[in-house]
Amino acid sequence: MIADYFKSKKIVISAGPTYEKLDPVRFIGNYSTGKMGYALATELANLGADVHLVSGPTALSIDHPSITLYRIESALEMYDICVREFQNADIAIMSAAVADYRPEHYNDIKIKKNEEILTINLVKNPDILATLGKSKKSGQIVVGFALETHNEIENATEKLHRKNADAIVLNSLNDAGAGFKHSTNKITIILQKGRIFEFGLKDKTAVAKDIVTCISENFN
């Protein structure tokens, strides 16, 4: 039974975008809505899991007695909470669209429009998925997400191994109705040892059920 598998398990989920501040009014971000992560959190909480949802800025709200919500803005904030909460968790599902880079310097005052060309130095953010994959203990499961535009299966499989994840949920921007800004998604789940499961275009609530079912059937 799926519910029996997840009952009382601690699950850390990341969702939404991160905002990397340039100055008090501007940031570097992306189009993630957080819908996929929130759907996963709701599905798992309904199955009896103890869900810890680390959410970037989003218009979504969530209210469930089994969900602890952490609202953050930056990749560094998300990193700190995910790493801390994963130490005694059973499963991590990293569905957030985390910024790979952040501005090297934050300006305390608004950057004025003075120059024809503005150069901003960016520094790499810590890799949350890779950190969890490297630190996981026996019995812990790490699931990542990959949004690809070309060579989708090859790139996602390489990410699976490079980051020592147990599964990668792949979506492609080449699929209509998938990726950011949609209420639907079309996914392929890639597991270790070359196991691949493909799913059709579905509402993200149904996609969450597919992901949860795949985890319970392959890691039970």
Side-chain angles (χ1 to χ4, degrees):
M1 293 285 292
I2 296 177
D4 292 337
Y5 176 75
F6 290 107
K7 187 173 179 60
S8 299
K9 278 186 168 59
K10 179 177 178 179
I11 302 178
V12 179
I13 300 174
S14 69
T18 63
Y19 287 178
E20 311 303 323
K21 292 182 178 179
L22 292 167
D23 63 19
V25 297
R26 302 181 182 92
F27 62 86
I28 298 171
N30 58 62
Y31 295 116
S32 174
T33 62
K35 290 178 181 178
M36 192 69 258
Y38 276 64
L40 282 163
T42 300
E43 176 67 16
L44 287 162
N46 287 338
L47 291 171
D50 172 24
V51 177
H52 291 250
L53 177 61
V54 188
S55 173
T58 174
L60 301 176
S61 60
I62 199 163
D63 184 16
H64 194 290
S66 295
I67 297 176
T68 302
L69 176 63
Y70 308 83
R71 290 199 179 275
I72 59 88
E73 283 196 347
S74 71
L76 290 176
E77 292 172 325
M78 181 172 282
Y79 175 89
D80 288 342
I81 296 174
C82 287
V83 170
R84 183 190 73 205
E85 294 303 320
F86 184 62
Q87 292 179 22
N88 62 347
D90 298 287
I91 301 170
I93 304 176
M94 298 290 100
S95 69
V98 184
D100 293 325
Y101 294 88
R102 68 184 185 276
E104 184 177 16
H105 299 293
Y106 171 75
N107 291 272
D108 293 326
I109 60 176
K110 181 182 176 183
I111 301 170
K112 304 303 289 184
K113 187 172 62 176
N114 296 322
E115 307 296 335
E116 290 298 322
I117 298 176
L118 176 65
T119 299
I120 298 172
N121 291 327
L122 303 177
V123 295
K124 187 177 288 189
N125 277 319
D127 191 316
I128 301 174
L129 181 61
T131 299
L132 300 189
K134 182 178 179 180
S135 68
K136 69 180 178 181
K137 300 181 289 287
S138 177
Q140 288 184 306
I141 298 168
V142 174
V143 179
F145 273 62
L147 180 63
E148 300 291 345
T149 59
H150 66 286
N151 297 332
E152 291 94 340
I153 296 294
E154 294 86 349
N155 288 337
T157 301
E158 190 272 336
K159 181 176 183 178
L160 173 76
H161 297 307
R162 176 167 45 87
K163 302 199 177 185
N164 198 35
D166 298 287
I168 290 290
V169 180
L170 166 66
N171 20 202
S172 170
L173 285 181
N174 294 316
D175 292 324
F180 296 153
K181 299 191 292 185
H182 297 289
S183 295
T184 55
N185 207 357
K186 181 181 178 183
I187 64 166
T188 300
I189 300 178
I190 303 172
L191 307 181
Q192 295 285 355
K193 299 182 180 179
R195 291 173 293 170
I196 297 176
F197 302 88
E198 296 184 358
F199 301 88
L201 185 70
K202 299 181 182 182
D203 179 271
K204 286 183 177 176
T205 299
V207 175
K209 293 180 184 295
D210 287 337
I211 294 170
V212 166
T213 299
C214 186
I215 292 171
S216 67
E217 290 180 347
N218 287 279
F219 297 103
N220 196 339

